[in-house]
Amino acid sequence: MRLIKQNFERDGSGFVTLFPEEPEDMWYAYNLIRPNDLLRASAIRRVTTESSTGSTSSTRVHTTLTIRVASLDFDPQSSQLHVLGRIAEETKFTKVGQYHTLDLELQRNFTLEKDGEEAWDSVARGIIKEACDPVKSADVWAVVMQEGLANLAVLTGARTVLRQRIEVSIPRKRGGRASDHDKVGCIDLCVPKSTLSNGAKGLEKFFQTTLDTLLRQIDLTESKPILLASPGFTASSFQKFILDTAIRTGNKSLMAQKANLVVVHSSSGHLHSLNEVLQTPEVDARLKDTQYAREGKLMDDFITLLRKDDGRAWYGPNEVEKAVEKGAVGRGGGVLLISNALFRAQDVAIRRRWVRLADKVRDIEGGEVRTLSSEHESGKRLDGLGGIAAILTFPLDDLDDDGFELEIPNENGNDL
């Protein structure tokens, strides 16, 4: 995301003009735009005109519209953001009050204006700072697979996205003296195709389909980790297939990815196994500098302290607020973990409650504030604990407040 222009007033109102450059930027825009904001962007509007004879004609025109946001619809797989609202400024083709859906696009500016006290709070400004940071954590690609099934996903600083699910039927009965994995591993180099069993041919087709899909998704000029995870030897055989294919086709860019291929074990080829993969030592060592790994470690540390039951780990709104008031979430190791779902609350009072709590921990107490994405596994674990938790610098007892249940806003800002 590129910051084009910004102007914030002392009362917290103001506007910002942003230029989204990659699909991940739409996720930041989704977390930045809220109902009742003013959004200005390019649009295509169907206009119906009537001639002097009474006949009508319909044409599509390119224009720029300003709407008062009513709701948002974000597709995480395609990274498309659709914003519905009422037109706030009259144009040649539209009238105030008409509904229109703006489809935010890459490589096109949009201007977001927030009015009202504390509209541009520390959380909103933090999203802009993170989105426009040129040194954002690199993407990590993962292929979680088993024979006949592969899930291709990408891990970014904000979320985990399933990009493609691949299924290829592989005959179960196999023949031949060498194992099918060994044969496919050196296809076209040491084993003629005519000697392959039906199972090996099916496995070759599966590997080729998975590789073709992977190559359509990744940029071979970039150096990013590619995790290959599976039960048994499927992942290691796929790694060998990739390298053998690079040699056979003379693809130097693909061969250059050899150092980025990380083979690890998983319990299955389904996407939910990715969580256990990311906790393995070899993966943790490769991803230790990414935002995903840091947030995952914080949640692991919190769960470890919670199991010890020594009063240094608390979760729940009232408990965490009491801990902050007592100065236990500050310098010396205090960490506030909060779900970004709480900051998407449509109720301004609810949002302001959590923004002020985060500001107090960060600016006054000197503690660390981590906003976890509900699209990441760590964020989902936090949501399961009510959306807010804290690691304390010193133990506290009797913070429990039975009978209080946190309501986590859903994607539209309504309470579940």
Side-chain angles (χ1 to χ4, degrees):
M1 188 90 77
R2 193 190 311 165
L3 177 62
I4 304 300
K5 186 178 182 181
Q6 68 177 21
N7 181 35
F8 299 139
E9 303 295 339
R10 290 185 177 180
D11 62 357
S13 61
F15 71 89
V16 62
T17 300
L18 298 169
F19 182 77
E21 297 177 299
E22 54 188 42
E24 183 71 3
D25 292 338
M26 291 304 175
W27 166 253
Y28 288 106
Y30 169 62
N31 283 277
L32 193 61
I33 302 171
R34 299 201 302 272
N36 295 320
D37 289 347
L38 285 173
L39 179 65
R40 182 179 179 85
S42 60
I44 298 177
R45 181 84 175 178
R46 185 175 292 278
V47 178
T48 302
T49 57
E50 183 175 350
S51 67
S52 57
T53 60
S55 61
T56 60
S57 62
S58 180
T59 57
R60 292 163 61 89
V61 296
H62 290 266
T63 184
T64 299
L65 296 179
T66 301
I67 65 171
R68 178 74 66 176
V69 177
S71 63
L72 297 90
D73 178 35
F74 178 70
D75 184 347
Q77 290 196 358
S78 62
S79 295
Q80 293 182 340
L81 179 58
H82 313 288
V83 186
L84 173 66
R86 288 180 178 270
I87 295 174
E89 296 179 2
E90 186 171 347
T91 69
K92 178 182 177 181
F93 308 105
T94 61
K95 296 180 180 180
V96 173
Q98 293 179 319
Y99 277 101
H100 187 86
T101 298
L102 288 176
D103 300 323
L104 297 190
E105 299 178 87
L106 298 179
Q107 313 299 322
R108 287 184 180 272
N109 289 356
F110 69 87
T111 298
L112 180 65
E113 182 177 349
K114 296 177 181 287
D115 47 26
E117 185 180 356
E118 297 182 21
W120 285 104
D121 51 41
S122 61
V123 173
R125 298 190 191 200
I127 292 174
I128 295 176
K129 182 178 180 181
E130 182 179 349
C132 298
D133 183 3
V135 197
K136 288 185 291 187
S137 298
D139 296 341
V140 177
W141 290 93
V143 183
V144 187
M145 62 196 314
Q146 61 191 42
E147 287 193 11
L149 172 66
N151 288 283
L152 176 60
V154 59
L155 286 69
T156 70
R159 57 203 177 104
T160 302
V161 182
L162 175 65
R163 298 301 295 268
Q164 192 74 45
R165 180 181 173 90
I166 302 158
E167 292 185 83
V168 175
S169 177
I170 299 178
R172 306 306 300 174
K173 291 185 179 181
R174 299 175 181 167
R177 289 170 291 181
S179 71
D180 289 334
H181 282 282
D182 291 341
K183 286 183 177 182
V184 174
C186 56
I187 190 70
D188 282 342
L189 295 177
C190 57
V191 179
K193 285 188 176 182
S194 59
T195 67
L196 291 177
S197 66
N198 290 335
K201 291 178 181 177
L203 194 60
E204 178 201 353
K205 179 182 178 182
F206 168 58
F207 282 169
Q208 188 63 58
T209 303
T210 304
L211 178 57
D212 290 343
T213 304
L214 181 63
L215 293 178
R216 285 196 297 269
Q217 299 283 348
I218 66 175
D219 184 353
L220 293 179
T221 63
E222 298 180 345
S223 180
K224 298 179 180 180
I226 304 174
L227 308 182
L228 307 178
S230 77
F233 300 100
T234 305
S236 57
S237 296
F238 182 53
Q239 180 194 37
K240 193 174 190 316
F241 179 84
I242 293 174
L243 299 178
D244 288 344
T245 300
I247 295 173
R248 175 170 54 86
T249 60
N251 190 332
K252 294 182 179 180
S253 297
L254 181 58
M255 179 57 70
Q257 296 293 324
K258 180 178 180 179
N260 295 324
L261 299 174
V262 183
V263 176
V264 290
H265 178 270
S266 66
S267 59
S268 76
H270 296 282
L271 190 61
H272 62 76
S273 298
L274 186 58
N275 184 39
E276 67 184 67
V277 169
L278 295 170
Q279 295 176 1
T280 58
E282 57 266 41
V283 173
D284 184 61
R286 292 293 296 270
L287 309 184
K288 62 181 179 181
D289 294 328
T290 65
Q291 178 179 337
Y292 186 100
R294 290 193 297 269
E295 292 179 353
K297 187 178 186 304
L298 282 174
M299 277 304 301
D300 291 341
D301 292 344
F302 173 80
I303 296 298
T304 299
L305 289 172
L306 191 63
R307 288 172 178 166
K308 289 182 178 179
D309 195 22
D310 62 356
R312 286 195 57 214
W314 288 94
Y315 64 91
N318 285 1
E319 291 85 347
V320 171
E321 284 181 318
K322 289 178 182 177
V324 172
E325 287 298 323
K326 293 178 181 292
V329 192
R331 295 177 180 85
V335 182
L336 175 66
L337 303 172
I338 188 165
S339 171
N340 65 352
L342 297 181
F343 295 132
R344 288 203 300 267
Q346 188 168 348
D347 190 319
V348 175
I350 294 176
R351 176 185 169 89
R352 190 171 296 167
R353 173 188 181 185
W354 303 121
V355 170
R356 288 178 174 174
L357 184 69
D359 289 345
K360 182 174 183 179
V361 170
R362 183 192 305 108
D363 302 332
I364 299 177
E365 302 295 335
E368 181 180 0
V369 178
R370 283 286 183 177
T371 303
L372 272 58
S373 169
S374 56
E375 294 292 322
H376 268 330
E377 186 62 33
S378 56
K380 293 176 182 177
R381 293 164 69 189
L382 181 61
D383 285 344
L385 296 173
I388 187 167
I391 297 176
L392 278 52
T393 55
F394 54 84
L396 290 175
D397 297 324
D398 303 324
L399 295 181
D400 304 77
D401 186 7
D402 295 332
F404 188 98
E405 183 177 351
L406 178 66
E407 294 180 331
I408 302 178
N410 61 16
E411 298 297 321
N412 295 321
N414 300 318
D415 293 333
L416 295 176

